[in-house]
Amino acid sequence: MTHLAANGGPPIRLQQWPAWPAPAPSALNALNEVLHSGRWAISGPYQGKQSFERRFAEAFAAYHEIAHCVPTASGTASLMVALEACGVGAGDEVIIPGLTWVANASTVAGVNAVPVPVDVDPLTLCLDPAAVERAITPRTAAIVVVHLYSAVADLDALTAIAKRHDVALIEDCAQAHGARFRGRRVGTFGAFGTFSMQHSKVLTSGEGGAVITGDGVLSRRAEHLRADGRTYTAHEPAVGEMELDQTAELMGSNRCLSEFQAAVLLGQLELLDEQNERRRANAALLDDGLGALGIRPQVSSPGTTERTYYEWAGRIEDDEIGQLGVGPIASAVAAELSGAGIYTSYPPMNHNRLYRPASRSRFKAIAGLDLTGYSLPVAEDAGRRVVTVHHSALLGDESDAKDIVRAFEKVFTHHRELRG
């Protein structure tokens, strides 16, 4: 008899999940204002009003209680800007987590540096400080720490390591908008905090990004790097004139956020805290319900005062179920839930099929880019055992969280059906 929806049985749920992205009530009016403003990008002529890009930069900096924010075209652009603003370049090594999205490695290669993946903590799935310490060499120029899924990395230990070895610490907060460590927003502990506003993120404009910093010199370098070597003029220009000054201080590239994206983000930012609170409440229900089924929830580092749930993550502890591999389990649970966002963890960086620098001629002159020789046992285990639930499924109510638990319980009960 077939029980699982993946095999043609009746699903746990037919009801659809909360839509994501979900536009703020102000989005249409803001987009219409940009549409008729005569300025669709900061590289367009000044029209007598503060740009949406500047408005968002000020709002995002204020949200983090930090002095500077430079919006960018994507999370990848934000990482590249941060690395180059910190002086990272040819011949340098950059320590990255062994468990993260591929852009953390490809971006380092993109600034002609060498990514050095190190293993992660088995409980937080974020950078293991002891592994970072062992990986430091005279060529290390930066450490990129990712606050992964719903955890904040051990910023006490990592900031101390960076200071002791005089290397830049860059926080990748693409999955942690709004999280706090010791009362401060993440992104404010390193030289830079970098953010992605890609479609799936908890703060999104489809694509987009930002860097934040408390250092005025680094901020000015970041402005030049994202706008072809230009920065905002010191004084308000006349209508029709350019608001970007060609200082020639530093050559850059065009990595600017459009006015449409900035307008959307302003409205979305107003909703962020309330949405994060709702996600936390439902994540707590998953901690209890899925924990009782033998899925060990990801934890955050001591010192975390507020978590952000980009994805709820947990490790399947049962060996018999775990031997199936997390892929079939995630697919079977998603089939029970009308296609809810149930996913596997990222693959370990030493086996990530998207990281293929040899496939592009620009990287052939850089030695050390092959990552397959690194040992990352904790990251490899996570790739086999960790399952995640996308934050959109946490925006509902208690009954939605219970449906997720019921779906996992059903799949675990009938997991032998997945063996074919």
Side-chain angles (χ1 to χ4, degrees):
M1 178 179 178
T2 296
H3 298 88
L4 298 181
N7 292 336
I12 287 288
R13 173 185 173 125
L14 294 174
Q15 180 184 352
Q16 293 300 304
W17 294 87
W20 190 261
S26 61
L28 280 178
N29 286 339
L31 288 170
N32 188 60
E33 183 178 340
V34 175
L35 191 63
H36 298 285
S37 68
R39 189 181 190 187
W40 290 6
I42 62 169
S43 54
Y46 183 66
Q47 298 297 324
K49 294 179 63 175
Q50 188 181 45
S51 67
F52 273 98
E53 197 256 18
R54 276 194 139 171
R55 284 185 249 176
F56 172 69
E58 291 176 1
F60 203 58
Y63 179 78
H64 289 89
E65 299 180 335
I66 201 166
H68 308 283
C69 169
V70 180
T72 62
S74 67
T76 295
S78 72
L79 278 170
M80 294 189 78
V81 164
L83 287 165
E84 291 196 83
C86 288
V88 176
D92 293 330
E93 293 178 349
V94 177
I95 293 173
I96 65 169
L99 187 73
T100 184
W101 178 242
V102 65
N104 287 98
S106 58
T107 300
V108 172
V111 299
N112 297 327
V114 177
V116 177
V118 304
D119 217 348
V120 295
D121 180 273
L123 299 180
T124 68
L125 303 180
C126 298
L127 270 179
D128 179 351
V132 171
E133 187 78 66
R134 291 191 296 270
I136 297 281
T137 75
R139 292 175 58 193
T140 304
I143 301 166
V144 175
V145 54
V146 179
H147 304 301
L148 193 73
Y149 296 142
S150 70
V152 177
D154 186 347
L155 287 170
D156 287 338
L158 292 168
T159 53
I161 291 170
K163 183 177 181 180
R164 185 162 58 249
H165 293 279
D166 193 26
V167 299
L169 179 68
I170 296 171
E171 294 179 73
D172 183 338
C173 309
Q175 302 181 12
H177 305 71
R180 292 182 187 269
F181 186 83
R182 304 207 180 281
R184 287 168 53 187
R185 301 280 190 198
V186 298
T188 65
F189 291 82
F192 281 105
T194 72
F195 295 82
S196 168
M197 282 70 163
Q198 179 267 347
H199 171 95
S200 67
K201 301 303 190 289
V202 298
L203 179 67
T204 181
S205 53
E207 288 289 358
V211 297
I212 60 173
T213 182
D215 188 311
V217 173
L218 288 179
S219 177
R220 187 170 177 85
R221 287 178 61 84
E223 280 199 30
H224 284 84
L225 285 165
R226 66 79 191 250
D228 285 321
R230 299 169 293 176
T231 188
Y232 275 114
T233 56
H235 305 287
E236 182 179 359
V239 172
E241 291 184 351
M242 297 301 296
E243 197 175 4
L244 293 177
D245 186 14
Q246 299 183 22
T247 66
E249 291 177 22
L250 181 66
M251 186 176 78
S253 302
N254 183 5
R255 296 169 178 150
C256 294
L257 189 74
S258 81
E259 284 291 274
F260 292 102
Q261 293 166 305
V264 169
L265 287 171
L266 265 177
Q268 301 305 113
L269 183 59
E270 294 175 359
L271 306 179
L272 180 60
D273 285 346
E274 186 275 329
Q275 290 174 337
N276 278 343
E277 183 58 37
R278 204 181 324 163
R279 294 180 183 109
R280 278 191 288 272
N282 284 316
L285 297 175
L286 295 190
D287 284 350
D288 293 339
L290 296 183
L293 296 178
I295 302 178
R296 186 187 70 202
Q298 179 190 27
V299 302
S300 195
S301 298
T304 302
T305 45
E306 196 169 303
R307 292 173 76 171
T308 294
Y309 284 81
Y310 170 64
E311 291 184 348
W312 184 95
R315 183 185 186 275
I316 298 172
E317 301 281 70
D318 185 278
D319 285 338
E320 183 180 0
I321 296 174
Q323 286 172 1
L324 282 170
V326 71
I329 295 292
S331 296
V333 173
E336 298 293 339
L337 295 170
S338 300
I342 313 297
Y343 304 116
T344 64
S345 177
Y346 297 123
M349 196 55 71
N350 55 351
H351 299 302
N352 193 315
R353 62 192 298 269
L354 295 180
Y355 180 75
R356 298 181 58 212
S359 67
R360 295 175 63 182
S361 59
R362 64 171 293 191
F363 296 125
K364 290 180 180 178
I366 306 175
L369 293 185
D370 184 358
L371 306 183
T372 57
Y374 285 89
S375 176
L376 302 169
V378 179
E380 290 171 1
D381 175 79
R384 292 188 295 266
R385 294 287 192 115
V386 169
V387 64
T388 71
V389 180
H390 187 254
H391 69 84
S392 58
L394 302 177
L395 286 174
D397 56 25
E398 183 176 344
S399 66
D400 295 318
K402 289 181 177 178
D403 281 347
I404 294 171
V405 174
R406 290 171 57 218
F408 272 97
E409 183 177 23
K410 179 181 175 183
V411 170
F412 280 18
T413 299
H414 302 289
H415 69 272
R416 291 182 179 84
E417 287 187 22
L418 299 177
R419 298 183 184 274

